[in-house]
């Protein structure tokens, strides 16, 4: 089974690049854009490192790899959208 839009998942960072991080969600590869990681918005949050665990939400399951966000605001939006379904 794959990831679906608005799904919350716990992921592990497997690779870090200038543009974002590759993550693993129970065997499924995803991607967290640099702007969708809290460190982009706060100097108090360290940048992602391989092995970090993040709670994230699926933003776009149609992309390869699926795009995720670790921002609390995106997680809250997804929860609201799931609540309407």
């Amino acid at each position: 089974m794959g990831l679906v839009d608005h799904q919350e998942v716990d992921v592990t960072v497997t690779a870090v690049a200038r543009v974002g991080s590759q993550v693993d969600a129970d065997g499924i590869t995803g991607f967290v854009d640099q702007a969708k990681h809290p460190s982009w918005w706060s100097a108090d949050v360290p940048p992602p490192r391989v092995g970090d665990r993040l709670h994230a939400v699926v933003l776009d399951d149609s992309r390869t790899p699926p795009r995720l966000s670790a921002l609390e605001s995106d997680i809250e939006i997804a929860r609201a959208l799931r609540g309407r379904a």
Side-chain angles (χ1 to χ4, degrees):
M1 186 168 112
L3 300 173
V4 296
D5 284 348
H6 315 302
Q7 175 184 359
E8 290 182 52
V9 290
D10 291 317
V11 300
T12 302
V13 176
T14 57
V16 177
R18 187 174 52 87
V19 296
S21 303
Q22 178 177 298
V23 297
D24 176 80
D26 293 327
I28 300 171
T29 298
F31 185 80
V32 176
D33 184 275
Q34 66 181 357
K36 294 298 184 177
H37 187 274
S39 65
W40 180 260
W41 303 102
S42 173
D44 296 333
V45 178
R49 295 183 351 181
V50 171
D52 284 356
R53 299 273 302 157
L54 302 170
H55 188 70
V57 65
V58 180
L59 298 178
D60 188 351
D61 63 7
S62 69
R63 305 273 306 265
T64 303
R67 295 306 196 259
L68 290 84
S69 172
L71 296 179
E72 189 61 36
S73 59
D74 287 332
I75 293 169
E76 290 172 10
I77 291 168
R79 287 177 180 163
L81 290 170
R82 287 195 317 265
R84 292 184 195 161

